[in-house]
Amino acid sequence: MIYSTELIKGTLKTIVLKLLADNKKMYGYEITQRVKELTFDKIQISEGALYPTLHALESEGLLVTEVEYIGKRVRKYYSLSPSGKSKSKEKLSELADFIETMKLLLDLKVKTA
Amino acid sequence: MIYSTELIKGTLKTIVLKLLADNKKMYGYEITQRVKELTFDKIQISEGALYPTLHALESEGLLVTEVEYIGKRVRKYYSLSPSGKSKSKEKLSELADFIETMKLLLDLKVKTA
DNA sequence: TACAATACATCGGAATCTTATGTATTTTCG
DNA sequence: CGAAAATACATAAGATTCCGATGTATTGTA
């Protein structure tokens, strides 16, 4: 099963921040592949979604970049800035909380009062 | 804590279908209030989001309506059509699956290989 | 040597929600 | 009693976010 794309909306920034919190530095393509692996292909981040998001996070001052050359190919590493680290924790606890709330909604057996 | 709005994106249809699966029939305003209650005010569905969604679900043939008058005030009840019932189950298991996947991503302690 | 994979990026358009606005009735509380 | 809040529907402009397509270029593989 691949999730209908709408479900993933709004979680991308959090996923990116979380991965970077766990992995010191990563580059864009690596992030897409890692997410694909970790979710058993259930979540596939498109590049058209990822790169704009990375740029946005960078311009918000949450990420910093360093460029590396692998042969002639450019590789752009992203890592968390100090404010990115706290933002990561923030977004993460918010998502964890949200998930618990959704579980409540999912499991609810509410009869009309 | 009220969730940043982006987090809720994409879950609204599923929430509506689930509520209607549990409650036979509900009207719009009731849905907003029920969600507010059940989530301890953490999720507040705006009317500008809800009504277009209800109309969309109806035009997809997933919901059927019946109008009732409470005094002079109109009340529009929505309930699941047969296809709405199966769609509800579908969306629900997708969301449940998605949540499990997100938990994996959240709890991951992945070191760079 | 062609194809797949790696690696960056942008862009038009679609989908979805926010915020504001509008109308009208009913209830509540000072 | 009268004003405000709650109930109940609805639309519409605009923002955000993502999809799908496209583009460029290098490297690995069969």
Side-chain angles (χ1 to χ4, degrees):
Chain A
M1 186 204 296
I2 294 181
Y3 303 122
S4 62
T5 58
E6 74 204 25
L7 216 51
I8 303 167
K9 292 201 178 193
T11 59
L12 183 51
K13 279 189 182 179
T14 306
I15 290 173
V16 168
L17 290 172
K18 169 63 175 168
L19 280 177
L20 287 175
D22 284 340
N23 290 283
K24 224 63 184 141
K25 67 174 187 178
M26 297 182 84
Y27 54 98
Y29 186 77
E30 187 184 13
I31 292 174
T32 64
Q33 298 308 303
R34 188 66 58 87
V35 170
K36 195 164 175 284
E37 278 170 41
L38 290 169
T39 63
F40 306 101
D41 294 10
K42 288 177 176 179
I43 297 181
Q44 299 191 18
I45 297 176
S46 72
E47 296 176 294
L50 181 63
Y51 289 113
T53 297
L54 286 172
H55 300 161
L57 290 172
E58 188 185 3
S59 75
E60 286 174 50
L62 301 175
L63 302 185
V64 291
T65 60
E66 50 183 306
V67 169
E68 222 174 74
Y69 280 88
I70 308 298
K72 281 177 185 171
R73 191 152 55 192
V74 163
R75 183 179 286 176
K76 202 163 165 188
Y77 277 102
Y78 290 87
S79 53
L80 294 179
S81 69
S83 64
K85 278 176 194 167
S86 57
K87 192 71 171 182
S88 174
K89 285 174 192 164
E90 212 178 280
K91 290 289 248 174
L92 208 59
S93 72
E94 189 192 0
L95 182 49
D97 193 321
F98 176 70
I99 284 177
E100 288 313 307
T101 300
M102 288 307 292
K103 280 201 144 185
L104 272 178
L105 266 177
L106 288 177
D107 295 334
L108 89 177
K109 299 277 184 295
V110 183
K111 300 278 158 57
T112 316
Chain B
M1 186 204 296
I2 294 179
Y3 303 122
S4 61
T5 57
E6 73 203 25
L7 216 50
I8 304 166
K9 292 201 177 192
T11 59
L12 183 51
K13 279 189 182 177
T14 306
I15 291 173
V16 169
L17 291 172
K18 170 62 175 169
L19 280 177
L20 288 175
D22 285 338
N23 290 283
K24 223 62 183 139
K25 67 175 186 175
M26 297 182 84
Y27 54 97
Y29 187 76
E30 187 184 13
I31 291 174
T32 65
Q33 299 307 303
R34 187 67 58 86
V35 170
K36 195 164 174 286
E37 278 169 43
L38 290 170
T39 63
F40 306 101
D41 294 10
K42 288 177 175 179
I43 297 181
Q44 299 190 18
I45 297 176
S46 72
E47 296 176 294
L50 181 64
Y51 289 115
T53 297
L54 287 172
H55 300 160
L57 290 172
E58 187 184 5
S59 74
E60 287 174 51
L62 302 174
L63 302 186
V64 291
T65 61
E66 50 183 308
V67 170
E68 222 173 76
Y69 279 88
I70 309 298
K72 283 178 186 169
R73 191 151 57 191
V74 164
R75 184 180 286 178
K76 202 165 168 187
Y77 278 101
Y78 291 87
S79 53
L80 294 180
S81 70
S83 65
K85 277 177 195 167
S86 58
K87 191 73 169 182
S88 174
K89 285 174 192 163
E90 213 178 279
K91 291 288 250 176
L92 207 61
S93 73
E94 190 192 0
L95 183 49
D97 195 322
F98 177 70
I99 283 177
E100 288 313 307
T101 299
M102 288 306 292
K103 280 200 144 184
L104 272 177
L105 265 176
L106 287 176
D107 295 334
L108 91 178
K109 299 277 185 293
V110 182
K111 299 280 159 54
T112 317

